[in-house]
């Protein structure tokens, strides 16, 4: 079953790649896929509708069905407002079914917004950290400090997608920093007004700024040395994205 799925999926992806409509660094990037999660990119309404029609055609040839209830559309406006073509567009359709437009969408756990702002995804991580901390307090409050430090590193410092954040408000990031320090104090039993610096020194844990810096630096090192041509081209297209 896995083999059959992979073969069918490869045919679907190949058909999309052969229709060159969207380019990044001179490389055609009409489609991104991870397992059965697909993202289609196009520079215009007509181009994307053509890709959707082609997707529908390939699915029917393979005996597959597109779930139009879970399929969403998003318009990313150009940063140069003089290049806006229109504020509204006709609904995209797949097999006669209209697709819903959204301002943000969760893809592979990361919230993508149509204004290219990362505030919504930062708020997601803030919520998750509070939830994880409360769960850890309930389950491990009687453990030794050494065990708690190991657990906190595994569940509260192992953050998802933070290296991708590049456009956000300072207020939202400040809230995340406050969340990080508050969760650490609650989990290790420190009072609300206890010195954060003294707490970090006593526990041997990194500060919030250090955690974010390490994630970004690690990501940049991997990105800079990546062998994939498209990944390398992004370095030239957006060199200041993570500065």
């Amino acid at each position: 079953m896995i083999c059959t799925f992979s073969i069918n999926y490869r045919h679907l992806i190949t058909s999309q790649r052969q229709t060159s409509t969207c380019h990044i660094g001179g490389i055609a990037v009409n489609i991104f896929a991870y397992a059965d999660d697909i993202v289609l990119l196009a520079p215009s309404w007509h181009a994307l509708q053509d890709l959707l029609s082609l997707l529908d055609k390939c699915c029917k040839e393979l005996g597959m069905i597109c779930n139009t209830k879970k399929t969403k559309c998003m318009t990313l406006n150009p940063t140069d407002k003089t290049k806006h073509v229109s504020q509204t567009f006709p609904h995209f359709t797949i097999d006669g079914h209209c697709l819903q437009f959204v301002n943000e969408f969760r893809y592979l756990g990361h919230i993508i917004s149509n204004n290219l702002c990362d505030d919504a995804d930062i708020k997601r991580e803030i919520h998750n950290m509070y939830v994880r901390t409360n769960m850890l307090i309930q389950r491990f409050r009687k453990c030794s400090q050494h065990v708690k430090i190991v657990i906190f590193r595994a569940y509260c410092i192992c953050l998802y997608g933070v290296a991708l954040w590049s456009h956000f408000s300072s207020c939202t990031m400040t809230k995340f920093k406050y969340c990080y320090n508050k969760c650490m104090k609650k989990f290790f039993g420190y009072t609300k007004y206890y010195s954060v610096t003294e707490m970090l020194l006593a526990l041997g844990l990194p500060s919030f700024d250090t955690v974010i810096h390490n994630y970004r630096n690690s990501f940049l090192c991997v990105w800079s040395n990546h062998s994939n041509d498209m990944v390398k081209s992004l370095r030239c297209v957006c060199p200041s994205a993570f500065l």
Side-chain angles (χ1 to χ4, degrees), residues 135-202:
M135 179 270 292
L136 294 179
I137 292 173
Q138 291 295 323
R139 296 185 180 183
F140 304 104
R141 62 182 180 274
K142 296 183 180 181
C143 292
S144 66
Q145 182 164 290
H146 173 73
V147 173
K148 284 186 174 182
I149 291 174
V150 174
I151 292 173
F152 190 84
R153 284 183 176 277
Y155 285 91
C156 296
I157 298 183
C158 186
L159 306 177
Y160 178 73
V162 298
L164 300 175
W165 297 339
S166 57
H167 302 288
F168 49 82
S169 67
S170 58
C171 178
T172 304
M173 188 58 80
T174 299
K175 289 181 179 178
F176 191 19
K177 183 175 183 177
Y178 172 79
C179 165
Y180 178 81
N181 294 333
K182 182 179 179 180
C183 288
M184 189 181 298
K185 286 181 178 180
K186 286 183 63 179
F187 184 57
F188 290 99
Y190 288 91
T191 60
K192 180 178 180 181
Y193 297 104
Y194 193 86
S195 169
V196 173
T197 302
E198 290 185 16
M199 176 182 64
L200 294 173
L201 289 174

Side-chain angles (χ1 to χ4, degrees), residues 206-218:
S207 67
F208 175 81
D209 294 333
T210 299
V211 171
I212 299 299
H213 171 78
N214 289 343
Y215 272 106
R216 286 181 176 173
N217 186 63
S218 177

Side-chain angles (χ1 to χ4, degrees), residues 9-203:
Y9 214 53
R10 183 178 302 175
H11 170 70
L12 189 151
I13 293 174
T14 302
S15 66
Q16 294 288 335
R17 292 180 59 187
Q18 290 174 347
T19 306
S20 300
T21 59
C22 191
H23 294 79
I24 296 178
I27 301 174
V29 285
N30 300 329
I31 182 170
F32 289 95
Y34 184 86
D36 61 344
D37 291 320
I38 295 178
V39 172
L40 297 178
L41 299 178
S44 66
W45 183 92
H46 286 288
L48 184 54
Q49 183 58 62
D50 288 342
L51 291 178
L52 291 171
S53 299
L54 179 60
L55 176 68
D56 181 44
K57 178 183 176 182
C58 292
C59 286
K60 288 180 178 178
E61 292 176 351
L62 297 170
M64 300 169 64
I65 299 176
C66 291
N67 190 335
T68 54
K69 293 183 179 180
K70 291 185 177 180
T71 305
K72 309 297 181 182
C73 298
M74 183 184 294
T75 302
L76 302 178
N77 293 323
T79 54
D80 185 354
K81 294 184 178 180
T82 62
K83 295 182 179 180
H84 284 201
V85 177
S86 175
Q87 296 296 334
T88 59
F89 298 90
H91 281 283
F92 294 100
T93 60
I94 294 180
D95 194 26
H97 298 280
C98 292
L99 304 180
Q100 180 186 6
F101 274 94
V102 294
N103 294 325
E104 61 183 38
F105 187 73
R106 186 189 295 267
Y107 182 67
L108 302 182
H110 188 87
I111 298 178
I112 302 173
S113 302
N114 64 347
N115 59 0
L116 300 180
C117 179
D118 296 307
D119 283 1
D121 197 57
I122 296 175
K123 292 176 182 178
R124 169 195 60 80
E125 195 59 54
I126 291 174
H127 172 75
N128 289 344
M129 181 166 288
Y130 279 128
V131 171
R132 287 195 297 266
T133 301
N134 289 331
M135 179 270 292
L136 294 179
I137 292 173
Q138 291 295 323
R139 296 185 180 183
F140 304 104
R141 62 182 180 274
K142 296 183 180 181
C143 292
S144 66
Q145 182 164 290
H146 173 73
V147 173
K148 284 186 174 182
I149 291 174
V150 174
I151 292 173
F152 190 84
R153 284 183 176 277
Y155 285 91
C156 296
I157 298 183
C158 186
L159 306 177
Y160 178 73
V162 298
L164 300 175
W165 297 339
S166 57
H167 302 288
F168 49 82
S169 67
S170 58
C171 178
T172 304
M173 188 58 80
T174 299
K175 289 181 179 178
F176 191 19
K177 183 175 183 177
Y178 172 79
C179 165
Y180 178 81
N181 294 333
K182 182 179 179 180
C183 288
M184 189 181 298
K185 286 181 178 180
K186 286 183 63 179
F187 184 57
F188 290 99
Y190 288 91
T191 60
K192 180 178 180 181
Y193 297 104
Y194 193 86
S195 169
V196 173
T197 302
E198 290 185 16
M199 176 182 64
L200 294 173
L201 289 174
L203 298 174

Side-chain angles (χ1 to χ4, degrees), residues 21-30 32 41 223 228-239:
T21 59
C22 191
H23 294 79
I24 296 178
I27 301 174
V29 285
N30 300 329
F32 289 95
L41 299 178
W223 187 16
N228 184 276
D229 291 336
M230 191 196 74
V231 174
K232 289 191 294 185
S233 69
L234 287 172
R235 187 70 174 172
C236 301
V237 174
C238 49

